[in-house]
Amino acid sequence: MTPQETRPVLPAGPPPGAPPAARLADPRHGSATITPHLLRYLTLVAAERGHDLGPALRRAGLSEAALSAVGQRVSYRQGSSVIREAIRDLGDPALGLAVGRRQRVTAWGLVGLALQASPTLHDALRLGVRHHGVTGSMLDYRIECVPAGAAILATARYTDSGLRAFLLEEAFGSIVALIRDAWREEFTPHSVAVRHPRPSYGDAYERWFRCPVTFGAPDDRLVFAAESLDSPLPGADAYTLAQVVGLLDAARAHGRDRQDLVQGLEVSVARALPRVPPLARQALERGMSERTLRRRLAEHGTSYEALVDSVRLVRAEELMMTSDLPLHRIAGLLGFSDARTLRRAVTRWFGTSPSAMRGSPARRG
């Protein structure tokens, strides 16, 4: 089994004198590192129910066309913004399960093809966990042996309790949907366990998974019986599998390189705010010239200026939504010259004013 990838270590704490809210702002929250597969199917489910998510996508800086563009990446901030609006507008607390059920093996692109070509279900699960970053999941996974057979354990990347149930339901629901599509419709997991309490739609879990479901569990896991793990898959093809895994490994290496560089810079900027480290110093600390660092960032579809803007955006949203600090104080913490500059940035980032953001129902006080 391949160990989980590590992530850059975040600063140990806020700068001296910073308010408690600053502790919560994770600069990676704004990194465009997630493939938009989940949002594609959320948009599809909404359309089938007569609701257009186009406005929500545009407010998050996205479009339906962008969701289908090869190589497109979205940030957790963008994804969570669209999901929250969809849950609110569709009025369906079980929306995560609906989005998961709607998916087929082709929903995961190359990973879906590799799953179909795997020799056994266990091989497919290991491959899916190894390459889950390409599937558009907003959670992280690991696989471990358990007395019943094997379990996929899901963990949240960010502290976001409001979306955890949706993301788990979409994740576990889609895994089961893909297995039924690639193998047999009668498939049932051994069991499902989730940390959150039983929701009002708890019976929807039993209807979809067709197995024992435990709520209020110590962790979030989808368990597979030993007898099903070694079952051969009908689409197994060693040649196709080798081809696709080669492509996935290359994409994973490229994605890791981007993640290490971009997120490392984001953490550096977040630690230094309100002062922004000059690019020349960032390059020197990474043993390269300023020109080389600019070129590498351009190869990854971004720039140092855009990266700094993203870090400020995440910190601004956190401070405005969780604190009562005056705007001039927030502007100072972000490295802006005054509150007017902050107001212009907020309008550009969120399409609204700071006062409107602070008056929204989503504000966490």
Side-chain angles (χ1 to χ4, degrees):
M1 181 178 68
T2 303
Q4 272 194 293
E5 296 178 23
T6 58
R7 290 182 166 270
V9 177
L10 290 174
R23 302 175 189 272
L24 305 176
D26 185 334
R28 301 167 304 163
H29 189 264
S31 293
T33 58
I34 304 168
T35 53
H37 299 321
L38 189 162
L39 293 185
R40 287 195 303 116
Y41 274 81
L42 175 61
T43 302
L44 178 62
V45 168
E48 290 172 345
R49 300 182 180 188
H51 181 73
D52 178 16
L53 277 184
L57 290 169
R58 288 190 289 275
R59 280 189 287 274
L62 300 168
S63 68
E64 289 188 63
L67 298 186
S68 300
V70 175
Q72 176 73 31
R73 295 292 187 272
V74 302
S75 69
Y76 188 93
R77 185 193 69 82
Q78 290 173 312
S80 62
S81 171
V82 175
I83 292 168
R84 290 179 192 280
E85 287 204 40
I87 293 173
R88 181 197 66 201
D89 295 345
L90 292 172
D92 181 5
L95 186 59
L97 278 175
V99 175
R101 293 196 309 265
R102 183 63 177 77
Q103 297 175 50
R104 296 294 177 266
V105 73
T106 51
W108 287 8
L110 286 176
V111 174
L113 179 58
L115 297 181
Q116 284 184 304
S118 297
T120 69
L121 178 59
H122 205 177
D123 293 313
L125 294 176
R126 285 193 290 251
L127 186 146
V129 168
R130 175 178 171 80
H131 294 287
H132 75 271
V134 186
T135 68
S137 173
M138 294 167 68
L139 300 172
D140 286 323
Y141 305 94
R142 70 180 190 274
I143 188 169
E144 67 176 34
C145 294
V146 295
I152 291 179
L153 281 79
T155 56
R157 293 180 189 173
Y158 305 99
T159 303
D160 194 348
S161 58
L163 285 187
R164 195 171 60 82
F166 172 94
L167 296 177
L168 282 167
E169 291 163 4
E170 185 279 331
F172 288 173
S174 64
I175 290 171
V176 170
L178 266 65
I179 293 173
R180 289 173 180 167
D181 192 35
W183 183 23
R184 63 186 188 203
E185 200 282 330
E186 298 79 16
F187 166 78
T188 59
H190 174 273
S191 60
V192 175
V194 292
R195 291 168 53 198
H196 53 266
R198 184 183 181 91
S200 59
Y201 53 93
D203 56 342
Y205 279 74
E206 284 91 359
R207 288 198 303 270
W208 175 245
F209 294 112
R210 310 172 196 158
C211 68
V213 179
T214 301
F215 296 95
D219 52 29
D220 302 297
R221 60 176 58 206
L222 182 60
V223 182
F224 300 84
E227 56 268 23
S228 66
L229 293 173
D230 294 327
S231 300
L233 299 182
D237 189 295
Y239 180 77
T240 298
L241 180 62
Q243 276 192 317
V244 178
V245 167
L247 294 172
L248 289 172
D249 283 341
R252 187 166 176 260
H254 180 75
R256 188 189 305 117
D257 179 62
R258 182 194 191 282
Q259 177 174 299
D260 290 346
L261 177 63
V262 173
Q263 294 187 348
L265 287 168
E266 287 173 331
V267 169
S268 175
V269 172
R271 180 185 294 122
L273 284 179
R275 294 177 296 276
V276 176
L279 180 64
R281 193 176 90 194
Q282 297 279 26
L284 182 64
E285 291 176 352
R286 287 158 181 79
M288 64 182 76
S289 68
E290 183 176 344
R291 181 178 179 181
T292 298
L293 181 53
R294 283 197 180 278
R295 176 177 54 78
R296 289 191 57 190
L297 287 172
E299 289 172 353
H300 293 311
T302 189
S303 67
Y304 188 57
E305 293 74 20
L307 183 150
V308 171
D309 198 52
S310 174
V311 173
R312 282 173 161 162
L313 178 155
V314 172
R315 181 65 57 84
E317 182 177 38
E318 192 69 39
L319 290 170
M320 287 192 295
M321 300 300 282
T322 64
S323 80
D324 293 317
L325 287 173
L327 288 186
H328 75 271
R329 175 66 172 140
I330 294 176
L333 290 171
L334 297 176
F336 287 130
S337 58
D338 52 37
R340 181 181 302 176
T341 306
L342 172 62
R343 288 191 185 93
R344 287 199 297 265
V346 168
T347 301
R348 173 169 55 84
W349 289 331
F350 306 109
T352 188
S353 66
S355 58
M357 286 185 66
R358 289 186 143 176
S360 72
R363 177 175 163 81
R364 305 181 298 280

